[in-house]
Every structure is written in C-alpha cells, then in structure tokens.
C-alpha cells in the first residue's frame, strides 16, 4: 500500500502538471515533423538528372543491368568501351575520371561472363570500379553500380577504387560532422551554466530582490546573458578544440593534413560563427529559464530546444544546395557557414551575415527576457 | 542614491482606489469553492502614510495586505487605481518609486553564496549609490547592527538572526525615504523578531517612513502611529491608532469591525 501511495504520488506529480507532460511529448512530435521535412528535402525535392560518362575495359552483361537500373532511376549513361574517344588506354581513362571528364571506369577481366558462368578459364574473374567520391555524379554512379555488382549473385572478385584524396575525404567528412558536433558541444556548455540562471533565482527568491531595485530590466537581462555567454564560450572553445584535434586522429589522418585546407580567414570565420552562436544559445536557454517556474521545468523545455538545434545542425549535413536564404535562420546559418569553411570553400559574406544575424537574434531575445522580467504573470504566476 | 525626504506631515505614500484581481485556476476555484474565474484581492483600497511615521496594514490572511505592498513596491501592477510614493506613480514611474523605497519580505532572499559585504556593495550598485557613500553607509550600518564581524562570512553560514539583519540592512542600502515591510516578524523566533522591531524603531528615529503589513495585534500597538484595517480587500478602518481604537485595544476594535463588515464571528 505504501509503495502504491508513493507511486501514485509520483504519477500525480507528473500527470498533474500539463507542462511536464508536454515536454515529454513535444520531442517526439518535433522529431517526426522535422525528420519528415528533412526526408522531403533529401528525397522529395527536385531530382538530379545525371548523364554519366563511363569508360569500359572488357565486356560483361552486367553493364546492361546497370544501364537498366540507371534508366529506372531516371538517369542515362554513355558507356565507352576502350579504346574510345578521349581515352585509348585504361591509364588515359583513369586520367579522365580523375580530372572529372568521366564519371567512372569499369574494368572486367577477360572472359568475365564466361568465367562466372563456369565455362571459361579456371582463374577467378575480376571486376574493378574506379570513381571519385568527391564528385557527386561519380559517387552516385559508384553507389548504384557497386550495389548491382555486389548483388550480382555470381562468384567474382570486386574491387572499388576511390580516387578522392584522403585529405579531401577527411575535409568532406569534417565539414559534414564538425558543425553538428560544435553545435552540440556549444549547446551542452551553454546549458550547464544557463539552465538555472533565472528559474533557479526564481525558486530561491533572489530574483525578486533584484527586481525591487531600480536596475532596468534590460540591464538585468544583459547582466545575465553576457557573463553566461562568456563562461559558456570557454566551455565551448574547450569542446571545439577537443573535437577538432581528435577527429583527424579518429579518422586516421594527421591533424596537419586535416587543417591544411583551411585558410587563416577560414579559422577566423569559424571562430566568429562559434562566438555568434554561443550568446544566441545562452539567450534562448535564458528565455526558457525565465518562462519556467522551476529549474526542472526549464530543463524539460531546454531539451526541446536542444532537439531543434540538433536537427537544424544535422539538416545542413544531409541537405545539399541550401539557398542563400539560410543566412536568415539562426544556428542553421552558422552551421552552413562553418561547413563552407571546413570544406575549404569559405563564403565570406555568408559567415559575416550569419555572425551579424545571430547577434541580432540574441539582442531580440535579450529584449524579450527584459519584457518577461517585467511580466507579473511570468515572474510571480503560480 | 539618497532620496530627498518629503517635508514634515507630507504624505509619503498615497494609495488611490487600488483594485487588483487574479485569475484562478480550476483547482484554485475548487479550493476556494467558487465558480468565478477571477478573485478580487484588493478592492478599491485608498489610504495615506505620513512622513516619519509607521503605518500598519492590519488584516487576516488573504485580506490583500501583501498584494497592496507588492503594488506599492512595483512588483505587480494594479488593474485600476494608482499609488504614489514620494509623489511618484507606481504605474507610470516604477523606476523612481524603486529608488525611493526599501522593500522587505520573507519572499525576497539573498544569494547564500555571497558575503554580506559583497551583497551590500552589489545592491548599492543596483541602486546607483556612489562608491564613497556606499562605503560610508556600509561602515555605519554594519557597525550599528553588529554585522561588521560577519561582513566576510558567506550568507549560508550566518545565523537566522544575523541573516535577517543583513537582509534589513541590504534593503536600505540606498537610504530610501520609505521602507515597506511585509509581515516583518512572520516565522521569526523571539530574538530575531526583536531584532526586526528594534530595527524598525531605529529607522523611525532616523526619520524614515515605514509601511508594514501584519496580522499581529501586539506589533501594531508597539510600533504603529497609524493603522489601516483591511478585510476582504477593502479598507474597513483607517487613521491614527488612537482614533481607530478609541478606548478599546486594537484586538477588540479589529474584531468589532470584522463582525460589522462580515456579519459573523472570526
């Protein structure tokens, strides 16, 4: 009976507070909505029309299967059997793939089809697919052709050679992952110091003591956000350095190689973007903290913000070709700008615009906090 | 920032027809056994407090005393009506009102992490008190209330009595003309309660005007020059203590008024 009473009390505490309940349900809803939007953006948007140029050395029926599969995807391909126009030998064909003039080279061993049918020589037939993953078209062809060859169901040796430089791959990977990780670490750093900033003071009764002084509400809001942003920046910088220095090692490439493709301006832009998202995140969490009656409530709402931040930052990693309008969106603008820097293609105006716009949003949130501090319902509502 | 004291016999606090209502949740409606979604906390309250006097708002729990003091301290706004502190409107000039008042209530707490000395300086800065003036006031007030020996001890390590003294001193860091005190001795032991009442009498001797709320009759008799009796958010009686009470004690007079207003025994 005692256990039942204790459990009942806990359930009553939870289900009796609609706000707590909402904070549990909202993340799931958000994940559904945002992931659906992401899915539409990734797969439901305008289809890319590829017209591949592929060199062939040797012959196989599998080429026809690949061609049919390409047609099913709405793509076309020109298969050029060596010697062909522009490439007489395998070496020349490789040069074309490397230079981006062709998308792939497929090399089949002599008598490939006979060998896998068991009617040819005793040696193991081989197929080699050479491509450049830095090229979207080449990567798309390799993905489709590789899958078909893999599932061909006959015994042969398949080799796939990616010509992309390991440093390029590293940079592409870093560009995709790092902004996401930076946002997560920055958010964690901000959350740990900001969460209880206002809600905690409300709970302890120390905020009202400040509110009865003649300090302006905007000063109180600024006095909260700025120092917390500075403290968070230290935590964020530490996390950022940790990620930047460990990721190359994690991926098997030296730090020197990984950072070589980023210019000094790029590093400054990277820093500027981190500096701009820290106060923005601090201000967003402080706003939530101001709206909350308790730290527990603030914690629930902050987890919702965290999901939004994570999704926004990961969207940029999956959706390519986001338009310039992205600079108007807080956080996402910095993620896209950081991706540009990390992939070695710093877009200066985008970085500076993201910096300015994020600080603008921060200023708006500070004004909002100041208004909330003046709100009787928010500050003293039960 | 030192506030200019009003001339003698001048009204330092004037409330004019204050009305304040609160929205009741369904749960609160059930508890209060009412179907009305709004509760009237203060209903057309008017009164005035004079310079250098202690004015006591006397009433039972839920009468509207705390709401009235919160309006006067600009923490909340009245629905209608207005109040003036040293001539400044609480609705139109809240900043100036905050400069003129020191507000004390058990709901206002000090950060336990800091020391009395730090908090005195911090709240002095919040009120815009100049450094030299602040240092002098800290020295005077800390010595007068025996805080000097504990100036660098963290608030969380202070005794209840000493903490109360620190809270009182911090509330008048800017030398306000008016001190507003909500239930000054509520929940305090006899020793700490004496610290507070002595402090209020000391403030009065310093020429401050004090407005306090209480439901303790003896406190009114001991401290107040004027009293306002609030019942159900309305002012039932208001004036000099001897005029309100006549030959009766404040307790007898209160219950007589209560019976008249409510038509029932308390």
């Amino acid at each position: 009976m005692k256990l039942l009473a204790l459990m009942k009390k806990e359930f009553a505490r939870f289900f009796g507070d609609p706000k707590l309940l909402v904070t549990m349900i909202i993340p799931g809803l958000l994940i559904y909505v945002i992931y659906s939007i992401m899915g539409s953006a990734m797969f439901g948007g305008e289809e890319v029309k590829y017209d591949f140029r592929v060199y062939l050395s040797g012959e196989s029926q599998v080429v026809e299967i690949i061609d049919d599969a390409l047609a099913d995807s709405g793509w076309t391909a020109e298969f050029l059997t060596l010697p062909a126009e522009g490439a007489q030998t395998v070496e020349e064909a490789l040069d074309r793939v490397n230079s981006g003039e062709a998308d792939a080279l497929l090399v089949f061993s002599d008598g490939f089809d006979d060998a896998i049918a068991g009617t040819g020589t005793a040696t193991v037939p081989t197929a080699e697919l050479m491509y450049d993953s830095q090229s979207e078209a080449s990567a798309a062809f390799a993905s489709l052709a590789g899958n078909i060859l893999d599932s061909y169901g006959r015994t042969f040796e398949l080799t796939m050679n990616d010509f992309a430089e390991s440093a390029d791959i590293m940079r592409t990977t870093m560009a995709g992952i790092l902004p996401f990780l930076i946002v997560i670490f920055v958010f964690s750093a901000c959350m740990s110091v900001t969460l209880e900033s206002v809600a905690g003071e409300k709970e302890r009764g120390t905020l009202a003591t400040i509110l009865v002084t003649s300090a302006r509400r905007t000063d109180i809001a600024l006095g909260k956000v700025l120092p917390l942003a500075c403290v968070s920046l230290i935590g964020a910088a530490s996390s950022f350095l940790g990620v930047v220095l460990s990721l190359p090692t994690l991926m098997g490439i030296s730090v020197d190689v990984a950072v070589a493709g980023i210019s000094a301006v790029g590093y400054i832009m990277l820093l500027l973007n981190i500096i701009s998202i820290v106060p923005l995140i601090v201000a967003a969490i402080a706003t939530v903290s101001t709206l909350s009656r308790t730290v527990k409530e603030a914690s629930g709402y902050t987890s919702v913000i965290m999901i939004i931040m994570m999704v926004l930052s990961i969207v940029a990693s999956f959706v390519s070709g986001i338009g310039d309008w992205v600079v108007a969106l807080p956080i996402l603008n910095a993620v896209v700008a950081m991706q540009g820097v990390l992939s070695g293609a710093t877009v200066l105006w985008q970085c500076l615009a993201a910096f300015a716009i994020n600080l603008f949003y921060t200023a708006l949130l500070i004004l909002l906090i100041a208004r909330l501090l003046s709100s009787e319902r928010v500050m003293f509502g039960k | 920032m030192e506030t200019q004291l009003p001339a003698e016999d001048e009204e330092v606090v004037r409330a004019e027809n204050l009305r304040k209502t609160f929205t009741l949740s369904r749960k609160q409606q059930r508890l209060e056994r009412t179907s009305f979604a709004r509760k009237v906390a203060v209903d057309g309250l008017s009164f005035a407090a004079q310079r250098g006097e202690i004015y006591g708002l006397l009433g039972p729990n839920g009468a509207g005393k705390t709401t009235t003091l919160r309006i006067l301290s600009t923490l909340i706004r009245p629905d209608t009506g207005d109040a003036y502190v040293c001539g400044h409107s609480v609705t139109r000039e809240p900043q100036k009102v905050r400069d003129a008042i020191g507000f004390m209530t058990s709901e206002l707490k000090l950060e336990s992490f800091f020391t009395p000395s730090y908090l005195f300086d911090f709240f002095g800065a919040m009120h815009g008190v100049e450094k030299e003036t602040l240092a002098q006031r800290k020295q005077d007030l800390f010595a007068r209330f025996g805080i000097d020996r504990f100036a660098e001890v963290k608030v969380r390590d202070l005794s209840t009595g000493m903490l109360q003294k620190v809270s009182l001193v911090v509330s008048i860091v800017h030398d306000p003309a008016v001190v507003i005190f909500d239930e000054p001795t509520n929940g305090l032991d006899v020793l700490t309660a004496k610290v507070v009442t002595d402090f209020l009498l000391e403030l009065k001797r310093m020429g401050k005007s004090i407005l306090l709320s209480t439901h303790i009759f003896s406190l009114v008799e001991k401290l107040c020059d004027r009293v306002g009796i609030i019942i159900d958010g309305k002012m039932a009686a208001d004036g000099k203590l001897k005029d309100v009470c006549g030959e009766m004690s404040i307790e007898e007079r209160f219950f007589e008024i209560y019976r008249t207003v409510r038509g029932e025994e308390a």
Side-chain angles (χ1 to χ4, degrees):
Chain A
M1 286 301 285
K2 286 178 185 170
L3 175 65
L4 202 64
L6 282 165
M7 288 173 63
K8 209 171 151 188
K9 176 191 151 269
E10 286 305 310
F11 279 126
R13 169 76 190 88
F14 181 76
F15 289 108
D17 188 345
K19 287 182 177 176
L20 277 180
L21 202 59
V22 165
T23 57
M24 294 297 287
I25 294 166
I26 280 182
L29 281 175
L30 272 176
I31 288 170
Y32 171 74
V33 171
I34 297 173
Y35 277 24
S36 300
I37 294 169
M38 277 173 63
S40 306
M42 283 189 287
F43 306 113
E46 197 177 322
E47 284 182 11
V48 183
K49 295 278 183 194
Y50 287 121
D51 183 13
F52 302 110
R53 186 179 173 86
V54 179
Y55 284 110
L56 287 175
S57 173
E59 290 178 358
S60 171
Q61 290 171 350
V62 77
V63 175
E64 284 173 31
I65 299 171
I66 292 171
D67 201 23
D68 289 345
L70 292 174
D72 288 345
S73 300
W75 298 336
T76 55
E78 184 185 6
F79 290 99
L80 303 165
T81 306
L82 294 174
E85 185 194 339
Q88 299 297 312
T89 63
V90 168
E91 286 71 28
E92 284 180 17
L94 281 176
D95 288 343
R96 299 291 169 272
V97 175
N98 254 331
S99 64
E101 291 168 53
D103 298 306
L105 167 65
L106 262 171
V107 180
F108 296 103
S109 57
D110 289 339
F112 180 82
D113 287 343
D114 291 340
I116 60 176
T119 56
T121 59
T123 53
V124 179
T126 61
E128 198 172 354
L129 173 60
M130 281 157 272
Y131 66 103
D132 179 2
S133 64
Q134 289 299 292
S135 153
E136 272 185 35
S138 182
F141 178 83
S143 169
L144 189 139
N147 280 338
I148 290 171
L149 288 166
D150 260 345
S151 56
Y152 194 42
R154 315 288 168 87
T155 309
F156 66 95
E157 199 173 279
L158 172 65
T159 312
M160 291 184 71
N161 286 327
D162 184 358
F163 293 148
E165 293 282 335
S166 56
D168 290 340
I169 298 172
M170 174 64 199
R171 266 196 291 279
T172 307
T173 313
M174 276 178 71
I177 297 174
L178 261 186
F180 168 72
L181 290 177
I182 288 170
V183 169
I184 298 305
F185 285 123
V186 165
F187 193 91
S188 303
C190 297
M191 190 168 76
S192 61
V193 294
T194 314
L195 191 62
E196 69 87 56
S197 61
V198 184
E201 286 225 38
K202 263 195 209 177
E203 271 189 296
R204 293 194 297 274
T206 52
L207 186 62
T209 317
I210 297 174
L211 291 177
V212 291
T213 69
S214 50
R216 289 182 309 168
R217 281 13 182 186
T218 41
D219 287 343
I220 298 173
L222 261 175
K224 283 271 173 206
V225 171
L226 291 184
L228 291 171
C230 289
V231 174
S232 302
L233 203 57
I234 297 168
S238 161
S239 301
F240 167 68
L241 280 176
V243 172
V244 168
L245 296 176
S246 64
L247 203 64
T249 314
L250 188 71
M251 307 195 79
I253 288 175
S254 74
V255 176
D256 294 348
V257 172
V259 300
I262 303 170
S263 65
V265 174
Y267 278 108
I268 292 169
M269 292 302 118
L270 208 57
L271 191 67
L272 273 185
N273 276 291
I274 293 173
I275 289 173
S276 76
I277 62 171
V278 167
L280 178 58
I281 293 174
V282 164
I285 299 173
T287 305
V288 165
S289 184
T290 309
L291 283 165
S292 307
R293 290 169 301 180
T294 61
V295 176
K296 190 176 178 181
E297 196 177 305
S299 172
Y301 291 137
T302 305
S303 65
V304 175
I305 298 186
M306 186 166 191
I307 288 174
I308 295 172
M309 298 276 176
M310 283 172 70
V311 171
L312 279 178
S313 55
I314 214 166
V315 157
S317 306
F318 284 96
V319 182
S320 58
I322 298 178
D324 289 342
W325 52 266
V326 78
V327 293
L329 294 182
I331 305 296
L332 189 58
N333 54 11
V335 171
V336 171
M338 285 192 280
Q339 278 185 334
V341 172
L342 290 165
S343 61
T346 306
V347 184
L348 205 60
W349 77 264
Q350 204 174 45
C351 291
L352 294 174
F355 175 77
I357 286 169
N358 283 337
L359 289 186
F360 172 71
Y361 281 120
T362 306
L364 285 184
L365 283 174
I366 289 171
L367 289 176
L368 176 62
I369 294 169
R371 281 199 70 113
L372 293 173
L373 288 173
S374 306
S375 163
E376 181 184 322
R377 192 177 59 80
V378 171
M379 298 315 298
F380 304 105
K382 299 292 181 194
Chain B
M1 186 184 303
E2 200 155 322
T3 311
Q4 191 73 39
L5 288 174
E8 203 154 346
D9 294 333
E10 192 183 332
E11 288 176 353
V12 286
V13 176
R14 183 158 51 88
E16 288 180 354
N17 208 22
L18 290 178
R19 182 180 166 85
K20 180 71 183 173
T21 57
F22 293 108
T23 306
L24 293 179
S25 65
R26 287 189 185 281
K27 192 176 175 184
Q28 286 170 320
Q29 286 179 42
R30 274 201 307 276
L31 287 171
E32 302 232 349
R33 293 177 186 168
T34 176
S35 56
F36 294 107
R38 292 194 78 79
K39 180 188 177 173
V40 180
V42 174
D43 192 4
L45 205 68
S46 299
F47 66 93
Q50 260 70 28
R51 182 199 163 195
E53 290 187 352
I54 299 181
Y55 186 102
L57 282 174
L58 177 68
N61 288 342
K65 305 186 297 291
T66 298
T67 303
T68 305
L69 295 193
R70 281 184 160 202
I71 291 172
L72 292 173
S73 62
T74 75
L75 282 176
I76 60 176
R77 287 172 65 91
D79 295 348
T80 56
D82 205 346
Y84 300 86
V85 178
C86 296
H88 302 300
S89 159
V90 295
T91 56
R92 294 189 305 275
E93 304 164 287
Q95 206 84 5
K96 287 182 177 168
V97 171
R98 285 180 213 128
D99 267 336
I101 63 163
F103 184 49
M104 268 296 297
T105 159
S106 57
E107 289 172 23
L108 302 186
K109 303 275 174 32
L110 298 174
E111 282 278 11
S112 61
F113 176 80
F114 298 109
T115 64
S117 177
Y118 178 89
L119 287 169
F120 193 88
D121 291 344
F122 170 74
F123 282 100
M126 287 290 100
H127 283 289
V129 183
E130 284 177 12
K131 273 188 177 172
E132 293 77 21
T133 313
L134 191 64
Q136 190 58 51
R137 274 189 71 72
K138 183 158 75 175
Q139 196 179 348
D140 292 348
L141 288 170
F142 276 29
R144 183 180 293 192
F145 294 101
I147 301 171
D148 37 8
R149 283 189 300 123
F150 302 92
E152 298 304 329
V153 176
K154 286 195 174 177
V155 163
R156 62 172 171 239
D157 297 324
L158 296 176
S159 67
T160 312
M162 187 52 65
L163 175 59
Q164 194 66 21
K165 281 183 185 177
V166 173
S167 299
L168 294 166
V169 163
V170 163
S171 73
I172 59 161
V173 61
H174 53 307
D175 198 17
V178 180
V179 177
I180 299 174
F181 219 143
D182 187 17
E183 302 280 4
T185 57
N186 232 17
L188 300 180
D189 65 66
V190 286
L191 293 176
T192 316
K194 185 164 181 351
V195 167
V196 174
T197 50
D198 288 351
F199 179 83
L200 289 171
L201 289 169
E202 177 72 18
L203 285 178
K204 185 183 168 184
R205 275 195 291 276
M206 288 162 71
K208 303 296 177 194
S209 313
I210 297 152
L211 183 64
L212 59 87
S213 73
T214 185
H215 59 271
I216 302 170
F217 300 116
S218 60
L219 196 71
V220 175
E221 277 175 334
K222 185 178 176 185
L223 296 177
C224 297
D225 302 293
R226 289 172 192 269
V227 65
I229 295 175
I230 306 183
I231 297 170
D232 293 338
K234 292 187 171 78
M235 189 62 85
D238 172 36
K240 288 198 168 181
L241 188 60
K242 61 179 188 299
D243 295 339
V244 170
C245 294
E247 297 302 312
M248 302 167 91
S249 71
I250 183 68
E251 184 172 352
E252 289 168 336
R253 181 65 181 130
F254 173 82
F255 286 114
E256 185 181 76
I257 292 170
Y258 190 86
R259 278 192 296 275
T260 308
V261 173
R262 299 288 298 259
E264 57 183 91
E265 294 291 333

